[in-house]
Amino acid sequence: MSKQKIEERNSLEQLLLRWQKSFENNKAKTYQLVAVVALVVLVVLVVRSGVFRGTNELNAVDAAYYSATLGSVVGGITDAEQLATIAQATKNPAEASAMKLTAGEAYLRAATQDIASAKAYSRGASSDNKEKPADPSVNFQLAVELFEAVSNAQNPLLKARANYDLGLAQEGLASVAANDEAVVAALDVAKERYSVASEIANTPYQRPAQTNLVNLQRKLTVDYYKSVANSFRTLPDPADAESILTGETELNVGEPLNVGEFDTADDDVTEATEDASAEEPPVEEVTPEVDEAPADPE
């Protein structure tokens, strides 16, 4: 063996000996470091498992996980029934609560669309006026049930959002209520829910809840909802209107309207024209007089 290789082996052995000696001298500190790392990993796993977490608590880890998973999955879903089904199937309590609120808000949008469809149907502007549109109070009530399930959440943000949405849903029910007493009852519940949301500080729902609460305490606002509900209740039904078509006749696009033997002449205009012609005085012919030229003097 060459002298160079012998020197390299001796240097490596000396280095290993120094490492071994250093490890033995700092063995306790090394074990402590390994124990700390293992403990940190264990704590992270326990926190993520949700063992010591409240049933409705939505902490930063939950929010991040929800945004990265369920948020990306249901981001394009707008159907309220599908969202409610996903909420029921969600195992994490905090994520399930957030999904219930999302589903309830989808029901609110559906109820608003039902009101617009009912008005279009009443005007005869509906694309399919053979069937009446859905009753908007049904979707409003479904939204109320989902919001009430989260209204007592331990997390302040979830609780404020649920109670604020409950106020909106009760206002919606007031706008389609069956009578004035039902309008007042729904608005009273809405004020209670807005009051709860307005007392939860540091949430984006506190200020709008306070504003809505002040508005509902005005008599003018209550009278407005009574008028809106009465207008909705008295929307005319096109099915009750008498048709101008005769018999079994159907009106198809591109075909002339069959109104039977309907005289399109205006009798009043015809009579007025005849009377004007009868009363017109005869025109006398006027012959212009021509002066005779004077005779030339002779």
Side-chain angles (χ1 to χ4, degrees):
M1 183 179 297
S2 63
K3 182 179 180 181
Q4 183 178 0
K5 291 184 177 180
I6 294 175
E7 292 177 354
E8 290 177 356
R9 187 181 66 178
N10 293 337
S11 300
L12 180 59
E13 290 177 353
Q14 292 177 1
L15 180 61
L16 292 175
L17 289 174
R18 285 199 300 268
W19 284 354
Q20 183 178 4
K21 184 178 180 181
S22 177
F23 173 76
E24 291 177 353
N25 294 335
N26 298 280
K27 183 183 296 184
K29 294 182 179 181
T30 302
Y31 287 153
Q32 290 176 359
L33 179 60
V34 173
V36 169
V37 174
L39 181 61
V40 170
V41 173
L42 179 61
V43 169
V44 171
L45 293 176
V46 171
V47 171
R48 288 298 299 122
S49 66
V51 174
F52 301 106
R53 191 164 52 214
T55 57
N56 288 315
E57 185 178 358
L58 181 64
N59 54 28
V61 178
D62 289 324
Y65 179 75
Y66 169 73
S67 299
T69 54
L70 285 181
S72 62
V73 174
V74 304
I77 299 178
T78 58
D79 183 77
E81 294 184 3
Q82 293 184 23
L83 291 172
T85 302
I86 294 174
Q88 294 295 333
T90 303
K91 301 301 182 181
N92 186 289
E95 294 165 5
S97 297
M99 285 301 303
K100 288 179 181 178
L101 295 178
T102 302
E105 290 162 356
Y107 276 119
L108 284 184
R109 292 190 295 270
T112 303
Q113 182 60 43
D114 290 340
I115 294 177
S117 299
K119 293 180 179 179
Y121 169 81
S122 177
R123 296 193 307 268
S126 176
S127 59
D128 183 9
N129 58 1
K130 295 181 180 180
E131 296 182 0
K132 292 184 179 180
D135 183 1
S137 63
V138 175
N139 281 327
F140 278 131
Q141 192 60 46
L142 290 172
V144 167
E145 293 175 1
L146 289 170
F147 296 149
E148 285 182 342
V150 194
S151 60
N152 294 319
Q154 295 180 2
N155 179 267
L157 182 60
L158 289 177
K159 184 176 181 179
R161 179 181 172 188
N163 282 277
Y164 177 77
D165 286 344
L166 270 171
L168 296 179
Q170 291 295 336
E171 285 195 70
L173 286 173
S175 67
V176 296
N179 49 58
D180 290 349
E181 291 75 13
V183 171
V184 175
L187 293 181
D188 287 342
V189 177
K191 287 187 289 186
E192 294 176 1
R193 296 302 183 171
Y194 285 141
S195 179
V196 174
S198 65
E199 294 174 355
I200 303 176
N202 301 322
T203 68
Y205 307 99
Q206 183 180 25
R207 179 164 295 182
Q210 293 172 347
T211 301
N212 293 353
L213 180 60
V214 172
N215 291 334
L216 292 182
Q217 291 172 343
R218 299 171 179 166
K219 182 179 182 300
L220 182 62
T221 304
V222 178
D223 292 339
Y224 168 77
Y225 272 101
K226 290 180 180 179
S227 175
V228 170
N230 180 69
S231 298
F232 184 80
R233 292 194 302 268
T234 57
L235 285 175
D237 190 344
D240 299 335
E242 295 183 1
S243 175
I244 63 173
L245 301 179
T246 60
E248 301 294 331
T249 305
E250 293 184 357
L251 181 61
N252 299 319
V253 176
E255 294 184 0
L257 178 63
N258 180 15
V259 294
E261 298 180 358
F262 183 76
D263 188 3
T264 58
D266 193 331
D267 295 337
D268 295 337
V269 175
T270 303
E271 292 178 359
T273 304
E274 292 176 353
D275 294 342
S277 301
E279 296 176 359
E280 184 177 356
V283 179
E284 296 181 358
E285 294 184 359
V286 179
T287 303
E289 297 180 359
V290 179
D291 296 335
E292 295 181 357
D296 295 336
E298 293 180 354

